Amino acid sequence: MLITGETTAPGTALLLAAAPAGKGRLIAASSVLSTLAACPPSALTRTAAGTIVELSDPTDQQTVLTRIRAAATAPGPLTLLLAGQLHLDTRQHGIHLALARTTPSTLRYTGLPWAWLANELKPRRPGTTTVLVDLVATPDTWQKIAAQGLTLGHGTSLYGRVTPAPARHRVADPAYLKGVAGIWRSGLTPPLAELHTRAAAQAGDATALLLAADATPTPVPPRPTAVDTADPLPAILAAAHAGQHAEAASLAARWEGWAAHTYGPRSAEAVHWLEVRADLAHIAGDAAGSCELWMAAADARLGRHQAPDAPPVQGAVDRAHHQWQQIPDPRRARELGPHLVALRRRVPGQRPGATDAVQRRLELLHTMPGPAAGPART
């Protein structure tokens, strides 16, 4: 499909949704395509004119590679939206995107190696390529990604999430990319980092590994002074992932203060920065701080009369619950536990027994006098 507009630099959007047929399917990848297809084309390509290419459950790795190569060599910005499942080649330990005919024994010949994708995008001019992903990983692949991360190399902005494989006989939903599509369909086109934060919150999976690597982070002003400054979030996230946790947290707190002063303490803008601070605490390894901030975000959303079953509310409480489970100090976990119990009673979430699980662990914590209990599992 060709779209036209005012710009003389057309872009390209490649929508790729793939998963094996039958029992090997872990994610309903292609279900997101109709939602993305309903978005304004300019949101998909990030330009006023461009080409949109759609691949639904392709079967041949060479065909997929050819389409990716054609998109990568086209002039103008490239946006790749990718939904699917990742498998690990047990012989060479490479990560592959499974295609429609992929089986564990044929992975090397029927799946698309992640390295091929990275290699095709590598020659592109830095800052012109954006990849948004919603991926499910098999257990061995999940362990590799959790330990080593998932990247596409310098110059490519990679946003999205990777989740562990769902329980047996269940198929995951590409909720992150559906959240992206929902934002675009509402008429909003926020900066990529903000789009990512909102979509991840709507997806609401506390077990997900969130990817936020921007190819061109912009400098953050010493103090936020105007709404039309360059989006500061990519630079803040870059600082956090570089280990500059105090600096990143301080900058995010300044932006939150500015948003609260400009729009109100419970405004969407202020809550957004509160949730950014919660993510930064998680990146810094501060489970207690992250838990407390996610609970504050949930309280703020409920205070704005958002429904307890609204995805952003559930997502905030789910993340608070997950971080609370990781707190190593029983005393600190006991301090935060009653607040989480109260939230869980209002926002039980979609996992049965979550409220009871918090109460049981809180009772157990009261029997632990020491300061160094390991993370609990529910």
Side-chain angles (χ1 to χ4, degrees):
M1 173 173 61
L2 178 67
I3 60 174
T4 59
E6 298 177 356
T7 182
T8 58
T12 301
L14 176 58
L15 284 53
L16 173 56
K23 295 181 180 180
R25 177 160 294 190
L26 302 177
I27 182 171
S30 60
S31 68
V32 75
L33 291 179
S34 60
T35 310
L36 287 169
C39 296
S42 58
L44 293 169
T45 63
R46 298 183 297 131
T47 58
T51 301
I52 299 174
V53 180
E54 183 178 307
L55 290 177
S56 177
D57 284 325
T59 60
D60 180 66
Q61 63 176 197
Q62 291 298 327
T63 299
V64 176
L65 179 62
T66 299
R67 293 294 185 90
I68 292 174
R69 182 169 296 162
T73 55
L78 170 64
T79 304
L80 172 61
L81 296 106
L82 177 59
Q85 59 192 67
L86 300 177
H87 294 245
L88 194 65
D89 172 17
T90 56
R91 181 176 298 180
Q92 297 182 347
H93 304 288
I95 295 175
H96 289 62
L97 175 72
L99 302 181
R101 293 179 181 172
T102 298
T103 66
S105 61
T106 66
L107 177 65
R108 294 177 61 197
Y109 312 105
T110 61
L112 179 75
W114 189 259
W116 286 11
L117 175 59
N119 189 59
E120 294 301 323
L121 300 180
K122 184 178 179 180
R124 289 184 53 82
R125 183 164 56 87
T128 64
T129 309
T130 299
V131 181
L132 297 170
V133 302
D134 201 339
L135 301 167
V136 170
T138 59
D140 53 350
T141 316
W142 172 255
Q143 291 180 2
K144 181 181 177 73
I145 293 173
Q148 302 179 12
L150 186 70
T151 65
L152 285 171
H154 175 72
T156 297
S157 296
L158 175 62
Y159 289 96
R161 68 169 187 169
V162 183
T163 60
R168 194 173 181 180
H169 305 307
R170 296 189 63 182
V171 177
D173 182 59
Y176 172 86
L177 280 182
K178 287 183 177 179
V180 168
I183 294 168
W184 282 341
R185 290 177 65 184
S186 71
L188 300 175
T189 53
L192 288 170
E194 181 180 344
L195 175 71
H196 165 71
T197 300
R198 292 187 181 186
Q202 290 181 20
D205 190 337
T207 65
L209 173 65
L210 299 180
L211 308 173
D214 195 282
T216 56
T218 53
V220 182
R223 62 178 63 85
T225 57
V227 295
D228 61 348
T229 55
D231 176 31
L233 188 53
I236 291 175
L237 291 174
H241 286 292
Q244 300 169 3
H245 301 299
E247 178 184 356
S250 176
L251 288 168
R254 290 183 184 182
W255 280 97
E256 182 190 354
W258 168 80
H261 175 75
T262 305
Y263 300 103
R266 286 189 172 178
S267 63
E269 293 80 1
V271 174
H272 161 70
W273 283 107
L274 182 59
E275 292 176 339
V276 169
R277 290 177 58 214
D279 272 335
L280 293 175
H282 165 63
I283 294 171
D286 181 6
S290 182
C291 171
E292 192 167 20
L293 288 166
W294 277 118
M295 289 194 296
D299 287 336
R301 289 189 176 278
L302 290 168
R304 299 182 69 231
H305 305 293
Q306 292 188 7
D309 62 349
V313 177
Q314 288 187 346
V317 178
D318 287 347
R319 284 170 170 78
H321 188 164
H322 178 72
Q323 291 299 310
W324 184 69
Q325 290 176 300
Q326 311 307 311
I327 299 174
D329 182 357
R331 178 189 60 80
R332 188 74 175 108
R334 284 195 298 266
E335 291 175 353
L336 297 175
H339 188 179
L340 182 59
V341 170
L343 274 175
R344 268 300 182 208
R345 286 173 178 166
R346 293 186 66 185
V347 188
Q350 298 183 357
R351 294 179 60 184
T355 305
D356 292 338
V358 177
Q359 292 176 320
R360 287 196 303 270
R361 187 182 181 226
L362 186 56
E363 292 172 0
L364 179 63
L365 286 168
H366 282 289
T367 69
M368 297 181 180
R377 303 290 180 190
T378 59

